[in-house]
Amino acid sequence: MSSTQSTDELLFVGKKEDLISAQRTVVSLQGRDVLIIYHEGEFYAIDSYCYHSGSSLETGDIEELNNKLCIICPKHKYKISLCDGEGLYRARDRSQSPPPLRWFSKGVKQRVHPIIEIQGELYLLLNLGKEITFIFIKSSWGRDPIPP
């Protein structure tokens, strides 16, 4: 089950203009490395190391997959939604004939953190929930495809 515990305090991560210039920055907050990403006019904050094997996500490509902006882990190509941390994979939907390719949830989530701007400075509310959230969804083939 998902846990959404967070710290009660806002943690300063940097000046907005500096983080825009940097595009990607890793900050260490209360013993956790968090990757701050500025992409297409939005800020995202996600744990810096991939849930799969601990590889750094800092140099991962960003792509839109199934209408979700995702970072691709450079080591094993795991696809992780920047908004909610959902792990995605593409496979054949065997519930249909012929089976089309669809995006599915792995049921695993990378920890993401809310980020807010106050007078040109960015603050983060550190998410202390469990690193990995398992969601089990039953269907005739396994997991249900993610709606477009």
Side-chain angles (χ1 to χ4, degrees), residues 4-148:
T4 57
Q5 294 177 327
S6 62
T7 59
D8 291 333
E9 65 179 304
L10 291 175
L11 304 170
F12 176 75
V13 292
K15 293 194 173 288
K16 180 180 179 179
E17 61 191 44
D18 295 340
L19 294 169
I20 288 173
S21 295
Q23 300 289 304
R24 297 181 191 200
T25 304
V26 175
V27 294
S28 220
L29 301 168
Q30 297 182 354
R32 178 167 308 285
D33 289 338
V34 177
L35 175 60
I36 310 297
I37 298 172
Y38 179 75
H39 186 79
E40 297 180 350
E42 296 290 329
F43 283 99
Y44 303 91
I46 189 166
D47 275 5
S48 185
Y49 302 106
C50 181
Y51 66 81
H52 171 241
S53 68
S55 297
S56 174
L57 295 173
E58 188 174 6
T59 60
D61 291 335
I62 295 177
E63 296 179 19
E64 187 174 316
L65 306 171
N66 201 46
N67 299 319
K68 289 186 172 204
L69 207 53
C70 296
I71 190 162
I72 313 300
C73 178
K75 188 164 187 178
H76 296 111
K77 307 303 179 210
Y78 274 52
K79 291 142 183 74
I80 302 165
S81 167
L82 288 175
C83 288
D84 59 14
E86 182 175 33
L88 302 175
Y89 72 100
R90 196 165 189 199
R92 299 258 176 219
D93 183 354
R94 304 221 186 274
S95 68
Q96 297 181 20
S97 183
L101 280 171
R102 295 269 169 89
W103 287 101
F104 292 85
S105 173
K106 288 186 175 189
V108 180
K109 290 194 174 190
Q110 181 85 6
R111 187 180 292 134
V112 294
H113 311 275
I115 193 162
I116 11 182
E117 178 189 351
I118 301 172
Q119 298 178 348
E121 296 181 335
L122 293 179
Y123 294 85
L124 185 137
L125 191 59
L126 195 62
N127 176 356
L128 300 176
K130 295 179 182 178
E131 282 188 323
I132 298 175
T133 302
F134 293 97
I135 303 168
F136 297 100
I137 303 169
K138 293 184 179 181
S139 74
S140 60
W141 180 63
R143 293 191 177 112
D144 290 333
I146 299 168

